[in-house]
Amino acid sequence: MFIPCDRGGDSAAPDFKGFTLLMPAVSVGNVGQLAIDLVISTLDMTKVGYFYTDCLVPMVGNNPYATAEENSTELSINAEVYSLPSKKLVVLQIRSPFIKNKYRPFCETLLSWVKSSKCARVVLLSSSHAYQRDDEQLLGTPLRYLLTPDLEKAIGGRMKELNWKEMEKVAAYPGISDTDKVLHIPGGGITKLLFTESCSEGIQMAVLLKFCSEGDNIPDAFVLVNYLNEWLQLIKSEVSTVGSKWKIPSSWRLLFGNGLPPALF
């Protein structure tokens, strides 16, 4: 359930009609969440509310996007909503893992909110275990996309212009039969369930994912957010150096320390 921030006594829900909802799956390497951090920090998005749910592990911490001592003590919780009306963009950032057996209730609540808020489409940033790719998925780029039928009708041609590679289906019974193909996203968390539910509900959803392994997943996050930017053009992409395009949130310095190259600060 979405709860707007109370700003100066004004707790009216913001209008998201026609907006693109961008969110992460809690998946291998936390790549989607890291990519969302880069989007929120770079676009200097405003926190407009919270997504209240009992499906996520509770947590609280300081402002992950603090820019000065004055706003560093603001509190953040496990699911928060940020908005940028000038780009018709709303972002749901998820900061904690799901409680066991709570995937489906979360997806139902989320899609109900998408419908009631009249968001135009949902873009889910995800990842999948690199070591579980089949032979076909080992070829070419480690990036893939999926579109629900309703979004395919609207923008399918754009993906072909970008020369993007759609996520392949794999054999349901490998080594026994190759005729039955299924969508398989190991390590993808809620990705498959949310995508299939969106297909059934007639919701326009795109999944952008990267095959990766657990470890230092900062490079994977940059690759995924650049992939997103090819399509949505959130920032100008003329500059080739990664560090100058995306703004590193202050929380990364505390989490990753010297793991980040100096050029990124």
PDB file of all heavy atoms in Angstrom, residues 19 21 23 107-123 146-153 194-207:
ATOM      1  N   PHE A  19       2.648   7.842 -15.738  1.00  0.00           N
ATOM      2  CA  PHE A  19       4.060   7.738 -15.370  1.00  0.00           C
ATOM      3  C   PHE A  19       4.602   6.342 -15.682  1.00  0.00           C
ATOM      4  O   PHE A  19       3.852   5.369 -15.773  1.00  0.00           O
ATOM      5  CB  PHE A  19       4.249   8.000 -13.882  1.00  0.00           C
ATOM      6  CG  PHE A  19       4.295   9.463 -13.497  1.00  0.00           C
ATOM      7  CD1 PHE A  19       3.395  10.377 -14.021  1.00  0.00           C
ATOM      8  CD2 PHE A  19       5.237   9.921 -12.585  1.00  0.00           C
ATOM      9  CE1 PHE A  19       3.426  11.708 -13.664  1.00  0.00           C
ATOM     10  CE2 PHE A  19       5.288  11.256 -12.213  1.00  0.00           C
ATOM     11  CZ  PHE A  19       4.370  12.159 -12.762  1.00  0.00           C
ATOM     12  N   LEU A  21       6.712   3.437 -13.996  1.00  0.00           N
ATOM     13  CA  LEU A  21       7.179   2.966 -12.688  1.00  0.00           C
ATOM     14  C   LEU A  21       8.426   2.122 -12.896  1.00  0.00           C
ATOM     15  O   LEU A  21       8.398   1.116 -13.602  1.00  0.00           O
ATOM     16  CB  LEU A  21       6.093   2.139 -11.988  1.00  0.00           C
ATOM     17  CG  LEU A  21       6.535   1.405 -10.707  1.00  0.00           C
ATOM     18  CD1 LEU A  21       6.981   2.389  -9.634  1.00  0.00           C
ATOM     19  CD2 LEU A  21       5.411   0.511 -10.176  1.00  0.00           C
ATOM     20  N   MET A  23      11.409  -0.068 -10.985  1.00  0.00           N
ATOM     21  CA  MET A  23      11.653  -0.751  -9.717  1.00  0.00           C
ATOM     22  C   MET A  23      12.627  -1.905  -9.904  1.00  0.00           C
ATOM     23  O   MET A  23      12.836  -2.378 -11.022  1.00  0.00           O
ATOM     24  CB  MET A  23      10.337  -1.277  -9.134  1.00  0.00           C
ATOM     25  CG  MET A  23       9.641  -2.316 -10.002  1.00  0.00           C
ATOM     26  SD  MET A  23       8.199  -3.060  -9.204  1.00  0.00           S
ATOM     27  CE  MET A  23       8.984  -4.062  -7.926  1.00  0.00           C
ATOM     28  N   CYS A 107       3.326  -9.166  -5.055  1.00  0.00           N
ATOM     29  CA  CYS A 107       3.018  -8.899  -6.463  1.00  0.00           C
ATOM     30  C   CYS A 107       1.576  -8.441  -6.639  1.00  0.00           C
ATOM     31  O   CYS A 107       1.294  -7.515  -7.407  1.00  0.00           O
ATOM     32  CB  CYS A 107       3.283 -10.139  -7.307  1.00  0.00           C
ATOM     33  SG  CYS A 107       5.037 -10.545  -7.482  1.00  0.00           S
ATOM     34  N   GLU A 108       0.660  -9.076  -5.907  1.00  0.00           N
ATOM     35  CA  GLU A 108      -0.753  -8.704  -5.999  1.00  0.00           C
ATOM     36  C   GLU A 108      -0.971  -7.269  -5.515  1.00  0.00           C
ATOM     37  O   GLU A 108      -1.684  -6.483  -6.144  1.00  0.00           O
ATOM     38  CB  GLU A 108      -1.605  -9.677  -5.176  1.00  0.00           C
ATOM     39  CG  GLU A 108      -1.669 -11.072  -5.780  1.00  0.00           C
ATOM     40  CD  GLU A 108      -2.348 -12.082  -4.862  1.00  0.00           C
ATOM     41  OE1 GLU A 108      -2.645 -11.707  -3.690  1.00  0.00           O
ATOM     42  OE2 GLU A 108      -2.579 -13.225  -5.294  1.00  0.00           O
ATOM     43  N   THR A 109      -0.338  -6.923  -4.397  1.00  0.00           N
ATOM     44  CA  THR A 109      -0.473  -5.570  -3.852  1.00  0.00           C
ATOM     45  C   THR A 109       0.141  -4.536  -4.782  1.00  0.00           C
ATOM     46  O   THR A 109      -0.428  -3.468  -5.025  1.00  0.00           O
ATOM     47  CB  THR A 109       0.199  -5.484  -2.461  1.00  0.00           C
ATOM     48  OG1 THR A 109      -0.365  -6.467  -1.603  1.00  0.00           O
ATOM     49  CG2 THR A 109       0.004  -4.111  -1.842  1.00  0.00           C
ATOM     50  N   LEU A 110       1.310  -4.868  -5.307  1.00  0.00           N
ATOM     51  CA  LEU A 110       2.004  -3.938  -6.207  1.00  0.00           C
ATOM     52  C   LEU A 110       1.193  -3.673  -7.466  1.00  0.00           C
ATOM     53  O   LEU A 110       0.992  -2.510  -7.864  1.00  0.00           O
ATOM     54  CB  LEU A 110       3.380  -4.490  -6.579  1.00  0.00           C
ATOM     55  CG  LEU A 110       4.159  -3.645  -7.588  1.00  0.00           C
ATOM     56  CD1 LEU A 110       4.661  -2.369  -6.949  1.00  0.00           C
ATOM     57  CD2 LEU A 110       5.307  -4.434  -8.192  1.00  0.00           C
ATOM     58  N   LEU A 111       0.715  -4.735  -8.109  1.00  0.00           N
ATOM     59  CA  LEU A 111      -0.035  -4.559  -9.356  1.00  0.00           C
ATOM     60  C   LEU A 111      -1.369  -3.858  -9.120  1.00  0.00           C
ATOM     61  O   LEU A 111      -1.846  -3.122  -9.986  1.00  0.00           O
ATOM     62  CB  LEU A 111      -0.240  -5.913 -10.039  1.00  0.00           C
ATOM     63  CG  LEU A 111       1.048  -6.591 -10.524  1.00  0.00           C
ATOM     64  CD1 LEU A 111       0.737  -7.917 -11.214  1.00  0.00           C
ATOM     65  CD2 LEU A 111       1.833  -5.680 -11.461  1.00  0.00           C
ATOM     66  N   SER A 112      -1.947  -4.055  -7.951  1.00  0.00           N
ATOM     67  CA  SER A 112      -3.170  -3.330  -7.596  1.00  0.00           C
ATOM     68  C   SER A 112      -2.883  -1.834  -7.511  1.00  0.00           C
ATOM     69  O   SER A 112      -3.679  -1.003  -7.975  1.00  0.00           O
ATOM     70  CB  SER A 112      -3.712  -3.841  -6.259  1.00  0.00           C
ATOM     71  OG  SER A 112      -4.834  -3.095  -5.842  1.00  0.00           O
ATOM     72  N   TRP A 113      -1.730  -1.480  -6.944  1.00  0.00           N
ATOM     73  CA  TRP A 113      -1.333  -0.071  -6.853  1.00  0.00           C
ATOM     74  C   TRP A 113      -1.050   0.506  -8.244  1.00  0.00           C
ATOM     75  O   TRP A 113      -1.426   1.639  -8.547  1.00  0.00           O
ATOM     76  CB  TRP A 113      -0.105   0.074  -5.954  1.00  0.00           C
ATOM     77  CG  TRP A 113       0.440   1.470  -5.899  1.00  0.00           C
ATOM     78  CD1 TRP A 113      -0.262   2.616  -5.624  1.00  0.00           C
ATOM     79  CD2 TRP A 113       1.786   1.876  -6.150  1.00  0.00           C
ATOM     80  NE1 TRP A 113       0.576   3.711  -5.680  1.00  0.00           N
ATOM     81  CE2 TRP A 113       1.834   3.297  -5.992  1.00  0.00           C
ATOM     82  CE3 TRP A 113       2.951   1.191  -6.462  1.00  0.00           C
ATOM     83  CZ2 TRP A 113       3.011   4.026  -6.149  1.00  0.00           C
ATOM     84  CZ3 TRP A 113       4.137   1.916  -6.614  1.00  0.00           C
ATOM     85  CH2 TRP A 113       4.153   3.312  -6.469  1.00  0.00           C
ATOM     86  N   VAL A 114      -0.395  -0.281  -9.093  1.00  0.00           N
ATOM     87  CA  VAL A 114      -0.107   0.174 -10.461  1.00  0.00           C
ATOM     88  C   VAL A 114      -1.406   0.526 -11.176  1.00  0.00           C
ATOM     89  O   VAL A 114      -1.507   1.563 -11.858  1.00  0.00           O
ATOM     90  CB  VAL A 114       0.664  -0.913 -11.243  1.00  0.00           C
ATOM     91  CG1 VAL A 114       0.743  -0.569 -12.735  1.00  0.00           C
ATOM     92  CG2 VAL A 114       2.074  -1.081 -10.676  1.00  0.00           C
ATOM     93  N   LYS A 115      -2.397  -0.314 -11.017  1.00  0.00           N
ATOM     94  CA  LYS A 115      -3.690  -0.065 -11.669  1.00  0.00           C
ATOM     95  C   LYS A 115      -4.393   1.160 -11.089  1.00  0.00           C
ATOM     96  O   LYS A 115      -4.888   2.014 -11.831  1.00  0.00           O
ATOM     97  CB  LYS A 115      -4.596  -1.293 -11.518  1.00  0.00           C
ATOM     98  CG  LYS A 115      -4.184  -2.474 -12.375  1.00  0.00           C
ATOM     99  CD  LYS A 115      -5.157  -3.621 -12.155  1.00  0.00           C
ATOM    100  CE  LYS A 115      -4.844  -4.816 -13.041  1.00  0.00           C
ATOM    101  NZ  LYS A 115      -5.779  -5.931 -12.814  1.00  0.00           N
ATOM    102  N   SER A 116      -4.432   1.244  -9.760  1.00  0.00           N
ATOM    103  CA  SER A 116      -5.158   2.347  -9.120  1.00  0.00           C
ATOM    104  C   SER A 116      -4.479   3.690  -9.363  1.00  0.00           C
ATOM    105  O   SER A 116      -5.149   4.723  -9.447  1.00  0.00           O
ATOM    106  CB  SER A 116      -5.296   2.087  -7.613  1.00  0.00           C
ATOM    107  OG  SER A 116      -4.023   2.075  -6.989  1.00  0.00           O
ATOM    108  N   SER A 117      -3.153   3.680  -9.491  1.00  0.00           N
ATOM    109  CA  SER A 117      -2.434   4.935  -9.725  1.00  0.00           C
ATOM    110  C   SER A 117      -2.371   5.299 -11.201  1.00  0.00           C
ATOM    111  O   SER A 117      -1.899   6.373 -11.557  1.00  0.00           O
ATOM    112  CB  SER A 117      -1.010   4.842  -9.151  1.00  0.00           C
ATOM    113  OG  SER A 117      -0.284   3.806  -9.787  1.00  0.00           O
ATOM    114  N   LYS A 118      -2.824   4.355 -12.059  1.00  0.00           N
ATOM    115  CA  LYS A 118      -2.872   4.576 -13.512  1.00  0.00           C
ATOM    116  C   LYS A 118      -1.492   4.827 -14.126  1.00  0.00           C
ATOM    117  O   LYS A 118      -1.346   5.637 -15.051  1.00  0.00           O
ATOM    118  CB  LYS A 118      -3.825   5.722 -13.862  1.00  0.00           C
ATOM    119  CG  LYS A 118      -5.281   5.435 -13.498  1.00  0.00           C
ATOM    120  CD  LYS A 118      -6.190   6.580 -13.900  1.00  0.00           C
ATOM    121  CE  LYS A 118      -7.668   6.210 -13.771  1.00  0.00           C
ATOM    122  NZ  LYS A 118      -8.051   5.808 -12.417  1.00  0.00           N
ATOM    123  N   CYS A 119      -0.476   4.122 -13.598  1.00  0.00           N
ATOM    124  CA  CYS A 119       0.851   4.171 -14.223  1.00  0.00           C
ATOM    125  C   CYS A 119       0.756   3.600 -15.638  1.00  0.00           C
ATOM    126  O   CYS A 119       0.039   2.619 -15.874  1.00  0.00           O
ATOM    127  CB  CYS A 119       1.862   3.364 -13.418  1.00  0.00           C
ATOM    128  SG  CYS A 119       2.370   4.137 -11.864  1.00  0.00           S
ATOM    129  N   ALA A 120       1.487   4.202 -16.564  1.00  0.00           N
ATOM    130  CA  ALA A 120       1.412   3.760 -17.953  1.00  0.00           C
ATOM    131  C   ALA A 120       2.092   2.420 -18.159  1.00  0.00           C
ATOM    132  O   ALA A 120       1.617   1.580 -18.936  1.00  0.00           O
ATOM    133  CB  ALA A 120       2.040   4.809 -18.870  1.00  0.00           C
ATOM    134  N   ARG A 121       3.206   2.215 -17.473  1.00  0.00           N
ATOM    135  CA  ARG A 121       3.958   0.963 -17.640  1.00  0.00           C
ATOM    136  C   ARG A 121       4.894   0.762 -16.460  1.00  0.00           C
ATOM    137  O   ARG A 121       5.150   1.685 -15.680  1.00  0.00           O
ATOM    138  CB  ARG A 121       4.769   1.004 -18.938  1.00  0.00           C
ATOM    139  CG  ARG A 121       5.796   2.130 -18.985  1.00  0.00           C
ATOM    140  CD  ARG A 121       6.394   2.286 -20.362  1.00  0.00           C
ATOM    141  NE  ARG A 121       7.295   3.431 -20.430  1.00  0.00           N
ATOM    142  CZ  ARG A 121       7.807   3.916 -21.542  1.00  0.00           C
ATOM    143  NH1 ARG A 121       7.502   3.361 -22.711  1.00  0.00           N
ATOM    144  NH2 ARG A 121       8.613   4.956 -21.519  1.00  0.00           N
ATOM    145  N   VAL A 122       5.394  -0.450 -16.331  1.00  0.00           N
ATOM    146  CA  VAL A 122       6.335  -0.818 -15.275  1.00  0.00           C
ATOM    147  C   VAL A 122       7.615  -1.323 -15.929  1.00  0.00           C
ATOM    148  O   VAL A 122       7.561  -2.090 -16.891  1.00  0.00           O
ATOM    149  CB  VAL A 122       5.750  -1.915 -14.357  1.00  0.00           C
ATOM    150  CG1 VAL A 122       6.721  -2.251 -13.238  1.00  0.00           C
ATOM    151  CG2 VAL A 122       4.399  -1.495 -13.799  1.00  0.00           C
ATOM    152  N   VAL A 123       8.758  -0.872 -15.414  1.00  0.00           N
ATOM    153  CA  VAL A 123      10.051  -1.376 -15.877  1.00  0.00           C
ATOM    154  C   VAL A 123      10.746  -2.007 -14.679  1.00  0.00           C
ATOM    155  O   VAL A 123      11.007  -1.337 -13.674  1.00  0.00           O
ATOM    156  CB  VAL A 123      10.928  -0.265 -16.477  1.00  0.00           C
ATOM    157  CG1 VAL A 123      12.266  -0.841 -16.940  1.00  0.00           C
ATOM    158  CG2 VAL A 123      10.213   0.420 -17.641  1.00  0.00           C
ATOM    159  N   LEU A 146      12.429  -8.572 -21.601  1.00  0.00           N
ATOM    160  CA  LEU A 146      11.134  -9.226 -21.774  1.00  0.00           C
ATOM    161  C   LEU A 146      10.065  -8.144 -21.840  1.00  0.00           C
ATOM    162  O   LEU A 146      10.151  -7.141 -21.122  1.00  0.00           O
ATOM    163  CB  LEU A 146      10.826 -10.158 -20.598  1.00  0.00           C
ATOM    164  CG  LEU A 146      11.574 -11.485 -20.501  1.00  0.00           C
ATOM    165  CD1 LEU A 146      11.389 -12.083 -19.106  1.00  0.00           C
ATOM    166  CD2 LEU A 146      11.074 -12.458 -21.561  1.00  0.00           C
ATOM    167  N   LEU A 147       9.060  -8.337 -22.675  1.00  0.00           N
ATOM    168  CA  LEU A 147       7.928  -7.425 -22.761  1.00  0.00           C
ATOM    169  C   LEU A 147       6.632  -8.211 -22.625  1.00  0.00           C
ATOM    170  O   LEU A 147       6.491  -9.277 -23.230  1.00  0.00           O
ATOM    171  CB  LEU A 147       7.914  -6.680 -24.104  1.00  0.00           C
ATOM    172  CG  LEU A 147       9.119  -5.812 -24.472  1.00  0.00           C
ATOM    173  CD1 LEU A 147       8.909  -5.209 -25.861  1.00  0.00           C
ATOM    174  CD2 LEU A 147       9.352  -4.725 -23.442  1.00  0.00           C
ATOM    175  N   THR A 148       5.693  -7.683 -21.850  1.00  0.00           N
ATOM    176  CA  THR A 148       4.370  -8.294 -21.816  1.00  0.00           C
ATOM    177  C   THR A 148       3.693  -8.033 -23.163  1.00  0.00           C
ATOM    178  O   THR A 148       4.067  -7.097 -23.883  1.00  0.00           O
ATOM    179  CB  THR A 148       3.517  -7.700 -20.680  1.00  0.00           C
ATOM    180  OG1 THR A 148       3.405  -6.281 -20.879  1.00  0.00           O
ATOM    181  CG2 THR A 148       4.116  -7.977 -19.314  1.00  0.00           C
ATOM    182  N   PRO A 149       2.695  -8.850 -23.533  1.00  0.00           N
ATOM    183  CA  PRO A 149       2.039  -8.662 -24.835  1.00  0.00           C
ATOM    184  C   PRO A 149       1.520  -7.249 -25.061  1.00  0.00           C
ATOM    185  O   PRO A 149       1.631  -6.708 -26.167  1.00  0.00           O
ATOM    186  CB  PRO A 149       0.891  -9.684 -24.793  1.00  0.00           C
ATOM    187  CG  PRO A 149       1.374 -10.750 -23.866  1.00  0.00           C
ATOM    188  CD  PRO A 149       2.178 -10.039 -22.827  1.00  0.00           C
ATOM    189  N   ASP A 150       0.966  -6.623 -24.026  1.00  0.00           N
ATOM    190  CA  ASP A 150       0.416  -5.271 -24.194  1.00  0.00           C
ATOM    191  C   ASP A 150       1.513  -4.255 -24.479  1.00  0.00           C
ATOM    192  O   ASP A 150       1.310  -3.322 -25.271  1.00  0.00           O
ATOM    193  CB  ASP A 150      -0.355  -4.865 -22.934  1.00  0.00           C
ATOM    194  CG  ASP A 150      -1.672  -5.602 -22.813  1.00  0.00           C
ATOM    195  OD1 ASP A 150      -1.659  -6.782 -22.428  1.00  0.00           O
ATOM    196  OD2 ASP A 150      -2.711  -5.013 -23.129  1.00  0.00           O
ATOM    197  N   LEU A 151       2.676  -4.408 -23.854  1.00  0.00           N
ATOM    198  CA  LEU A 151       3.779  -3.480 -24.122  1.00  0.00           C
ATOM    199  C   LEU A 151       4.459  -3.814 -25.441  1.00  0.00           C
ATOM    200  O   LEU A 151       4.947  -2.919 -26.133  1.00  0.00           O
ATOM    201  CB  LEU A 151       4.791  -3.515 -22.969  1.00  0.00           C
ATOM    202  CG  LEU A 151       5.879  -2.438 -23.004  1.00  0.00           C
ATOM    203  CD1 LEU A 151       5.284  -1.039 -23.085  1.00  0.00           C
ATOM    204  CD2 LEU A 151       6.796  -2.546 -21.786  1.00  0.00           C
ATOM    205  N   GLU A 152       4.475  -5.088 -25.792  1.00  0.00           N
ATOM    206  CA  GLU A 152       5.043  -5.514 -27.078  1.00  0.00           C
ATOM    207  C   GLU A 152       4.325  -4.813 -28.232  1.00  0.00           C
ATOM    208  O   GLU A 152       4.956  -4.336 -29.192  1.00  0.00           O
ATOM    209  CB  GLU A 152       4.920  -7.029 -27.226  1.00  0.00           C
ATOM    210  CG  GLU A 152       5.375  -7.586 -28.564  1.00  0.00           C
ATOM    211  CD  GLU A 152       6.887  -7.619 -28.710  1.00  0.00           C
ATOM    212  OE1 GLU A 152       7.572  -7.976 -27.745  1.00  0.00           O
ATOM    213  OE2 GLU A 152       7.366  -7.262 -29.808  1.00  0.00           O
ATOM    214  N   LYS A 153       3.018  -4.705 -28.133  1.00  0.00           N
ATOM    215  CA  LYS A 153       2.241  -4.026 -29.182  1.00  0.00           C
ATOM    216  C   LYS A 153       2.622  -2.550 -29.283  1.00  0.00           C
ATOM    217  O   LYS A 153       2.627  -1.980 -30.369  1.00  0.00           O
ATOM    218  CB  LYS A 153       0.741  -4.144 -28.887  1.00  0.00           C
ATOM    219  CG  LYS A 153       0.190  -5.556 -28.996  1.00  0.00           C
ATOM    220  CD  LYS A 153      -1.271  -5.580 -28.545  1.00  0.00           C
ATOM    221  CE  LYS A 153      -1.802  -7.009 -28.509  1.00  0.00           C
ATOM    222  NZ  LYS A 153      -3.191  -7.055 -27.967  1.00  0.00           N
ATOM    223  N   LEU A 194       6.196 -11.753 -11.208  1.00  0.00           N
ATOM    224  CA  LEU A 194       5.652 -10.422 -11.490  1.00  0.00           C
ATOM    225  C   LEU A 194       5.406 -10.235 -12.983  1.00  0.00           C
ATOM    226  O   LEU A 194       4.403  -9.640 -13.385  1.00  0.00           O
ATOM    227  CB  LEU A 194       6.614  -9.354 -10.973  1.00  0.00           C
ATOM    228  CG  LEU A 194       6.093  -7.920 -10.910  1.00  0.00           C
ATOM    229  CD1 LEU A 194       4.820  -7.826 -10.080  1.00  0.00           C
ATOM    230  CD2 LEU A 194       7.155  -6.989 -10.340  1.00  0.00           C
ATOM    231  N   PHE A 195       6.286 -10.785 -13.799  1.00  0.00           N
ATOM    232  CA  PHE A 195       6.119 -10.672 -15.248  1.00  0.00           C
ATOM    233  C   PHE A 195       4.898 -11.468 -15.726  1.00  0.00           C
ATOM    234  O   PHE A 195       4.076 -10.958 -16.485  1.00  0.00           O
ATOM    235  CB  PHE A 195       7.375 -11.168 -15.964  1.00  0.00           C
ATOM    236  CG  PHE A 195       7.276 -11.126 -17.464  1.00  0.00           C
ATOM    237  CD1 PHE A 195       7.364  -9.929 -18.147  1.00  0.00           C
ATOM    238  CD2 PHE A 195       7.086 -12.297 -18.191  1.00  0.00           C
ATOM    239  CE1 PHE A 195       7.264  -9.875 -19.534  1.00  0.00           C
ATOM    240  CE2 PHE A 195       6.986 -12.263 -19.578  1.00  0.00           C
ATOM    241  CZ  PHE A 195       7.068 -11.047 -20.244  1.00  0.00           C
ATOM    242  N   THR A 196       4.772 -12.704 -15.280  1.00  0.00           N
ATOM    243  CA  THR A 196       3.651 -13.537 -15.729  1.00  0.00           C
ATOM    244  C   THR A 196       2.318 -12.999 -15.214  1.00  0.00           C
ATOM    245  O   THR A 196       1.306 -13.037 -15.926  1.00  0.00           O
ATOM    246  CB  THR A 196       3.828 -14.998 -15.283  1.00  0.00           C
ATOM    247  OG1 THR A 196       4.040 -15.047 -13.858  1.00  0.00           O
ATOM    248  CG2 THR A 196       5.030 -15.635 -15.971  1.00  0.00           C
ATOM    249  N   GLU A 197       2.302 -12.454 -13.993  1.00  0.00           N
ATOM    250  CA  GLU A 197       1.081 -11.853 -13.455  1.00  0.00           C
ATOM    251  C   GLU A 197       0.709 -10.604 -14.252  1.00  0.00           C
ATOM    252  O   GLU A 197      -0.473 -10.345 -14.504  1.00  0.00           O
ATOM    253  CB  GLU A 197       1.261 -11.502 -11.976  1.00  0.00           C
ATOM    254  CG  GLU A 197       1.307 -12.702 -11.047  1.00  0.00           C
ATOM    255  CD  GLU A 197      -0.012 -13.459 -11.030  1.00  0.00           C
ATOM    256  OE1 GLU A 197      -1.068 -12.842 -10.775  1.00  0.00           O
ATOM    257  OE2 GLU A 197       0.005 -14.675 -11.291  1.00  0.00           O
ATOM    258  N   SER A 198       1.714  -9.834 -14.665  1.00  0.00           N
ATOM    259  CA  SER A 198       1.452  -8.638 -15.469  1.00  0.00           C
ATOM    260  C   SER A 198       0.884  -9.021 -16.832  1.00  0.00           C
ATOM    261  O   SER A 198       0.006  -8.328 -17.368  1.00  0.00           O
ATOM    262  CB  SER A 198       2.737  -7.818 -15.632  1.00  0.00           C
ATOM    263  OG  SER A 198       3.191  -7.328 -14.392  1.00  0.00           O
ATOM    264  N   CYS A 199       1.387 -10.108 -17.397  1.00  0.00           N
ATOM    265  CA  CYS A 199       0.838 -10.606 -18.665  1.00  0.00           C
ATOM    266  C   CYS A 199      -0.641 -10.945 -18.500  1.00  0.00           C
ATOM    267  O   CYS A 199      -1.475 -10.583 -19.348  1.00  0.00           O
ATOM    268  CB  CYS A 199       1.604 -11.847 -19.121  1.00  0.00           C
ATOM    269  SG  CYS A 199       3.295 -11.541 -19.685  1.00  0.00           S
ATOM    270  N   SER A 200      -0.969 -11.625 -17.413  1.00  0.00           N
ATOM    271  CA  SER A 200      -2.359 -12.027 -17.168  1.00  0.00           C
ATOM    272  C   SER A 200      -3.271 -10.838 -16.897  1.00  0.00           C
ATOM    273  O   SER A 200      -4.439 -10.837 -17.285  1.00  0.00           O
ATOM    274  CB  SER A 200      -2.428 -12.986 -15.974  1.00  0.00           C
ATOM    275  OG  SER A 200      -1.651 -14.139 -16.207  1.00  0.00           O
ATOM    276  N   GLU A 201      -2.720  -9.807 -16.228  1.00  0.00           N
ATOM    277  CA  GLU A 201      -3.522  -8.648 -15.837  1.00  0.00           C
ATOM    278  C   GLU A 201      -3.591  -7.579 -16.923  1.00  0.00           C
ATOM    279  O   GLU A 201      -4.253  -6.549 -16.740  1.00  0.00           O
ATOM    280  CB  GLU A 201      -2.943  -8.034 -14.549  1.00  0.00           C
ATOM    281  CG  GLU A 201      -2.979  -8.939 -13.338  1.00  0.00           C
ATOM    282  CD  GLU A 201      -4.363  -9.068 -12.740  1.00  0.00           C
ATOM    283  OE1 GLU A 201      -5.193  -8.171 -12.972  1.00  0.00           O
ATOM    284  OE2 GLU A 201      -4.622 -10.070 -12.059  1.00  0.00           O
ATOM    285  N   GLY A 202      -2.896  -7.794 -18.031  1.00  0.00           N
ATOM    286  CA  GLY A 202      -2.915  -6.809 -19.105  1.00  0.00           C
ATOM    287  C   GLY A 202      -2.126  -5.552 -18.793  1.00  0.00           C
ATOM    288  O   GLY A 202      -2.400  -4.474 -19.332  1.00  0.00           O
ATOM    289  N   ILE A 203      -1.125  -5.675 -17.919  1.00  0.00           N
ATOM    290  CA  ILE A 203      -0.295  -4.532 -17.533  1.00  0.00           C
ATOM    291  C   ILE A 203       0.926  -4.453 -18.443  1.00  0.00           C
ATOM    292  O   ILE A 203       1.553  -5.473 -18.755  1.00  0.00           O
ATOM    293  CB  ILE A 203       0.136  -4.659 -16.056  1.00  0.00           C
ATOM    294  CG1 ILE A 203      -1.082  -4.442 -15.150  1.00  0.00           C
ATOM    295  CG2 ILE A 203       1.244  -3.663 -15.703  1.00  0.00           C
ATOM    296  CD1 ILE A 203      -0.832  -4.704 -13.697  1.00  0.00           C
ATOM    297  N   GLN A 204       1.275  -3.265 -18.871  1.00  0.00           N
ATOM    298  CA  GLN A 204       2.455  -3.080 -19.709  1.00  0.00           C
ATOM    299  C   GLN A 204       3.703  -3.115 -18.830  1.00  0.00           C
ATOM    300  O   GLN A 204       3.915  -2.231 -18.004  1.00  0.00           O
ATOM    301  CB  GLN A 204       2.381  -1.745 -20.455  1.00  0.00           C
ATOM    302  CG  GLN A 204       1.254  -1.679 -21.469  1.00  0.00           C
ATOM    303  CD  GLN A 204       1.363  -0.483 -22.398  1.00  0.00           C
ATOM    304  OE1 GLN A 204       2.377   0.202 -22.453  1.00  0.00           O
ATOM    305  NE2 GLN A 204       0.306  -0.221 -23.142  1.00  0.00           N
ATOM    306  N   MET A 205       4.496  -4.167 -19.006  1.00  0.00           N
ATOM    307  CA  MET A 205       5.721  -4.323 -18.203  1.00  0.00           C
ATOM    308  C   MET A 205       6.888  -4.732 -19.080  1.00  0.00           C
ATOM    309  O   MET A 205       6.739  -5.560 -19.983  1.00  0.00           O
ATOM    310  CB  MET A 205       5.544  -5.354 -17.091  1.00  0.00           C
ATOM    311  CG  MET A 205       6.858  -5.701 -16.374  1.00  0.00           C
ATOM    312  SD  MET A 205       6.690  -6.870 -15.014  1.00  0.00           S
ATOM    313  CE  MET A 205       6.120  -5.762 -13.736  1.00  0.00           C
ATOM    314  N   ALA A 206       8.046  -4.147 -18.788  1.00  0.00           N
ATOM    315  CA  ALA A 206       9.304  -4.561 -19.407  1.00  0.00           C
ATOM    316  C   ALA A 206      10.234  -5.044 -18.303  1.00  0.00           C
ATOM    317  O   ALA A 206      10.303  -4.436 -17.223  1.00  0.00           O
ATOM    318  CB  ALA A 206       9.948  -3.403 -20.159  1.00  0.00           C
ATOM    319  N   VAL A 207      10.923  -6.137 -18.551  1.00  0.00           N
ATOM    320  CA  VAL A 207      11.969  -6.624 -17.658  1.00  0.00           C
ATOM    321  C   VAL A 207      13.306  -6.446 -18.371  1.00  0.00           C
ATOM    322  O   VAL A 207      13.471  -6.892 -19.506  1.00  0.00           O
ATOM    323  CB  VAL A 207      11.772  -8.119 -17.307  1.00  0.00           C
ATOM    324  CG1 VAL A 207      12.942  -8.625 -16.466  1.00  0.00           C
ATOM    325  CG2 VAL A 207      10.456  -8.335 -16.576  1.00  0.00           C
TER     326      VAL A 207
END
